[in-house]
């Protein structure tokens, strides 16, 4: 099935999404049923967004949306509401410009997007996978791009975001290409609301699909399944391809995560039909919030002949379909952001919902982990 | 959120489904996009069904549909096409009739449905959870219903289906309430195409949600994750609530299943929004086919005062939402059967697709099971 030439068919020109069309065509009653079946609730609980912000986004062509996931009132715990922000963005300059110029242009765009998120009160923000660079991992090239690989603790991306985090009292998850003493990793850095480096997580599962492989660039993560106990909630990061692995999601849950972010760089041919399923299923199975962020836009690379590559220059082009969304522990989800535009998705999440849903469904109570630990150990041998 | 009074809103009277409405309202191009996003492929590959069969179903108010999931041609393996049938049905008599009468009436209805499946060439058939009885487990009562609990090897349901299986050269999965020397189990019996008892599987995870609990009736399954190597393919059964557990699905996959059936008895309040997500996610994560079958119709019970229960007679009513569907290893799925009508869903599945998708996505290659076996063992301790 060749999907590539049908990409963005619905909204490249008009920027109208499938949901926009369906919203117009269904009666209010039918729309409630559509929402119930496809988003888990009849009426989507939209978040109030200041008009100034909405106008600014409209001017700049940024897709902005926000949803509220409240929890029931409890006797002993006050509500634990946290506002999260998910940013999806395209690169800015052509990929044959200097690394520093490309990065600077992305920094400038992202800075503006985070400003908007801050004005909307975002407390935890997550950027897309390898947000500060074009996703050159599809080229098979290394040397030319090596300046994009940076230190997790004091590389340019971390330094840049630390100031912003501190200024806005915002926890920021920054997925970068890490260079740790010459060894590369696909890493998410967590910066706390005081701008301090809090820790990092390394991508646990690496794709090798068709001609695309990350295995030549770095190893699978060696840091397990960290959960970061931030001021605003317990968070974890499942980077991109890790979303295909139920056990990866499970471990974050068992380690106490209340929100798991899934920053990604994924194209239509690589399972767009999975996109709405996997992170949503993980939220249901583990009773935490999941926040799925995907790149957006087309990136074109002129891949050059080098010592290994025999062929002449060729063009590699990849189009990311955005569609970032949030799922609550009860399986309710937001609609997706645009498939083609930069975007900011806001979510006001009451983290009390995690335990409430756990208590309702009893998935943890009935998980029989001892059985599976034995069965898995047996299978591995 | 009170869903109960909105149940079946779309189709109780008109029997029109949400998809029917959307089909009419969208342009062909928009419909392709709807299918791509929600069902994983632009054009649903409908199976030819003989006109006589379609007419018969129309007359009898049975929802029938069929879809084809082909695989690419391979050099060394011929196609391995198998036709599966999923039957969803309501009970027939009021639940205060004699057990034998109730069962006989269900047998008669199901016999007719299987006849139709046989005439459509079905080779592997699966019935819904506890198909031969009303789902009295919602009453909390035991004694009154105990005649419904039966032997897996030679109880009335097994005997009844063995003849049908042999006659039609059909493998049949028969989920029943098992009575094994006075101990009850929630069990799926597998009967081979010669009518022979092949084995059984016992439900691994038992729900206890709100006032509904199966824990008073039987224990969680003690037979692991059997895969049955039938003439038509390697199959397994994940009974109802087991679909919430990723590790349950995983073990069937690791044990070699190519199709996992998920017979269920589930009502709207218990996560209808999960229904389309979990089995579909399991198909994607484990690269096998999943077949989800749910009960349909409303069952009313007059629960009586007994030695334990203090209150007077009360009425318990539960409405099952049908919506049976099939998902392929590549995440493509069929639309759901009706939410309110008896139904037969046919699927022609080329089992070669399982390995093809595995080889494409590499989820097994990148699963790092050794890591998780260790982490799980650690967490259990």
């Amino acid at each position: 099935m060749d999907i590539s030439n049908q990409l963005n068919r619905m909204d490249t020109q008009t920027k109208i999404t499938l949901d926009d069309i369906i919203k117009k065509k269904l009666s209010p009653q039918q729309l409630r049923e559509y929402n119930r079946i496809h988003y888990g609730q009849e009426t989507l609980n939209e978040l109030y967004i200041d008009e100034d912000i909405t106008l600014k986004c409209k001017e700049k062509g940024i897709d902005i949306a926000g949803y509220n996931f409240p929890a029931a009132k409890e006797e002993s715990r006050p509500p634990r509401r946290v506002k999260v922000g998910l940013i999806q963005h395209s690169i800015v300059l052509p990929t044959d410009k200097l690394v520093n110029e490309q990065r600077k242009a992305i920094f400038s765009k992202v800075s503006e997007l985070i400003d908007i998120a801050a004005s909307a009160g975002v407390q935890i923000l997550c950027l897309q996978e390898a947000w500060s660079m074009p996703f050159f991992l599809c080229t098979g090239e290394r040397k030319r791009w090596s300046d994009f690989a940076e230190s997790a603790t004091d590389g340019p991306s971390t330094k840049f975001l630390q100031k912003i985090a501190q200024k806005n009292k915002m926890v920021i998850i920054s997925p970068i290409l890490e260079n740790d003493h010459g060894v590369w990793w696909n890493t998410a850095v967590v910066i706390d609301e005081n701008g301090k480096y809090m820790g990092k997580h390394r991508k646990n599962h690496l794709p090798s699909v068709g001609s695309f492989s990350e295995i030549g660039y770095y190893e699978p993560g060696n840091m397990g399944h960290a959960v970061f106990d931030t001021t605003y909630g317990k968070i974890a990061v499942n980077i991109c391809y890790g979303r295909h692995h139920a056990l990866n999601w499970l471990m974050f849950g068992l380690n106490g995560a209340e929100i798991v972010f899934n920053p990604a760089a994924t194209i239509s041919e690589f399972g767009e039909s999975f996109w709405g399923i996997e992170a949503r299923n993980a939220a249901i199975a583990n009773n935490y919030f999941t926040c799925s962020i995907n790149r957006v836009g087309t990136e074109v690379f002129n891949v050059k002949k080098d010592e290994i590559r025999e062929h002449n220059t060729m063009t590699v082009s990849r189009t990311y379909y955005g569609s970032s969304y949030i799922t609550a522990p009860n399986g309710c989800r937001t609609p997706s952001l645009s498939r083609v535009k930069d975007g900011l998705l806001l979510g006001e999440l009451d983290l009390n919902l995690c335990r409430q849903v756990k208590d309702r469904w009893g998935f943890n109570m009935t998980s029989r982990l001892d059985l599976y630990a034995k069965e898995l150990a047996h299978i591995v041998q």
Side-chain angles (χ1 to χ4, degrees), chain A:
Chain A
M1 183 169 58
D2 180 18
I3 305 179
S4 54
N5 60 355
Q6 295 146 351
L7 257 182
N8 309 328
R9 211 185 40 226
M10 299 301 280
D11 54 353
T12 299
Q13 280 87 38
T14 60
K15 312 260 179 183
I16 292 171
T17 68
L18 177 65
D19 269 359
D20 290 337
I21 292 165
I22 284 176
K23 236 186 217 177
K24 274 187 202 148
K25 297 217 173 189
L26 297 188
S27 74
Q29 187 202 357
Q30 291 163 350
L31 186 62
R32 282 198 299 275
E33 184 67 358
Y34 176 79
N35 285 337
R36 189 174 75 85
I37 295 295
H38 292 295
Y39 296 122
Q41 52 191 345
E42 299 200 339
T43 307
L44 304 174
N45 216 330
E46 287 187 40
L47 205 62
Y48 171 77
I49 301 171
D50 198 271
E51 206 177 330
D52 289 352
I53 297 174
T54 314
L55 269 177
K56 189 170 180 182
C57 287
K58 201 168 179 185
E59 263 173 35
K60 294 187 176 286
I62 298 164
D63 188 22
I64 186 164
Y67 299 89
N68 191 11
F69 292 99
K73 215 181 152 182
E74 295 187 11
E75 196 184 317
S76 341
R77 295 191 302 179
R80 289 190 303 135
R81 289 187 202 101
V82 54
K83 198 174 265 182
V84 298
L86 285 55
I87 288 177
Q88 63 178 42
H89 66 89
S90 59
I91 57 170
V92 183
L93 297 181
T95 60
D96 53 9
K97 295 284 176 190
L98 292 175
V99 163
N100 278 340
E101 283 178 22
Q102 288 187 63
R103 182 152 54 200
K104 206 174 144 189
I106 294 174
F107 277 13
S108 166
K109 176 191 265 198
V110 168
S111 172
E112 199 164 52
L113 283 160
I114 302 183
D115 277 350
I116 296 170
S119 65
V122 165
Q123 295 164 299
I124 307 179
L125 181 112
C126 187
L127 297 167
Q128 68 204 19
E129 185 182 19
W131 68 273
S132 55
M133 61 181 230
F135 206 72
F136 71 80
L137 306 161
C138 61
T139 64
E141 294 174 328
R142 188 178 176 103
K143 193 173 149 198
R144 213 182 133 190
W145 308 101
S146 61
D147 274 355
F148 277 119
E150 51 181 312
S151 160
T153 49
D154 62 0
S157 295
T158 300
K159 281 186 177 168
F160 166 73
L161 291 174
Q162 282 180 311
K163 283 183 208 146
I164 294 178
Q166 187 180 22
K167 188 178 90 184
N168 299 305
K169 286 279 165 205
M170 194 186 269
V171 169
I172 299 181
I173 298 161
S174 166
I176 58 165
L177 179 60
E178 180 191 5
N179 182 336
D180 182 13
H181 299 88
V183 182
W184 288 14
W185 300 93
N186 188 317
T187 298
V189 175
V190 181
I191 298 163
D192 78 9
E193 79 282 8
N194 299 313
K196 283 200 182 124
Y197 170 86
M198 217 180 157
K200 66 187 172 189
H201 171 75
R202 286 171 174 162
K203 187 174 186 173
N204 274 325
H205 302 267
L206 306 186
S208 198
V209 181
S211 64
F212 176 77
S213 177
E214 293 178 22
I215 290 171
Y217 289 104
Y218 35 76
E219 297 284 312
N222 59 351
M223 304 185 73
H225 298 85
V227 170
F228 301 92
D229 192 0
T230 76
T231 301
Y232 306 121
K234 292 177 181 169
I235 64 173
V237 196
N238 181 348
I239 305 175
C240 198
Y241 187 82
R243 75 178 172 281
H244 304 308
H245 292 278
L247 280 161
N248 203 25
W249 290 110
L250 177 74
M251 292 313 304
F252 293 121
L254 294 176
N255 289 341
E258 295 170 309
I259 313 171
V260 180
F261 294 88
N262 180 225
T266 190
I267 59 175
S268 190
E269 295 85 335
F270 284 8
E272 185 171 355
S273 61
F274 305 0
W275 180 249
I277 304 300
E278 294 171 311
R280 189 172 175 196
N281 185 75
I284 295 165
N286 302 291
N287 305 141
Y288 49 50
F289 289 91
T290 58
C291 296
S292 308
I293 304 121
N294 189 21
R295 273 179 182 249
V296 74
T298 299
E299 301 178 7
V300 180
F301 300 88
N302 292 311
V303 179
K304 284 168 193 162
K305 189 171 172 172
D306 62 17
E307 62 269 27
I308 299 162
R309 210 174 292 270
E310 291 295 317
H311 58 71
N312 288 325
T313 304
M314 65 170 187
T315 299
V316 175
S317 167
R318 282 163 66 99
T319 298
Y320 300 93
Y321 58 79
S323 306
S324 303
Y325 72 101
I326 299 172
T327 306
N330 57 9
C332 295
R333 60 159 286 189
T334 71
S336 294
L337 284 184
S338 164
R339 297 184 73 250
V340 293
K341 289 201 280 187
D342 290 347
L344 169 63
L345 183 60
L346 304 167
E348 187 171 288
L349 324 177
D350 188 337
L351 301 181
N352 283 353
L353 196 56
C354 299
R355 200 183 76 189
Q356 288 176 15
V357 175
K358 266 194 178 65
D359 286 344
R360 172 159 172 72
W361 292 110
F363 297 162
N364 281 46
M365 292 284 292
T366 58
S367 65
R368 308 186 73 185
L369 286 186
D370 52 342
L371 173 81
Y372 290 107
K374 276 179 212 149
E375 284 196 44
L376 266 189
H378 181 72
I379 276 203
V380 167
Q381 282 159 7

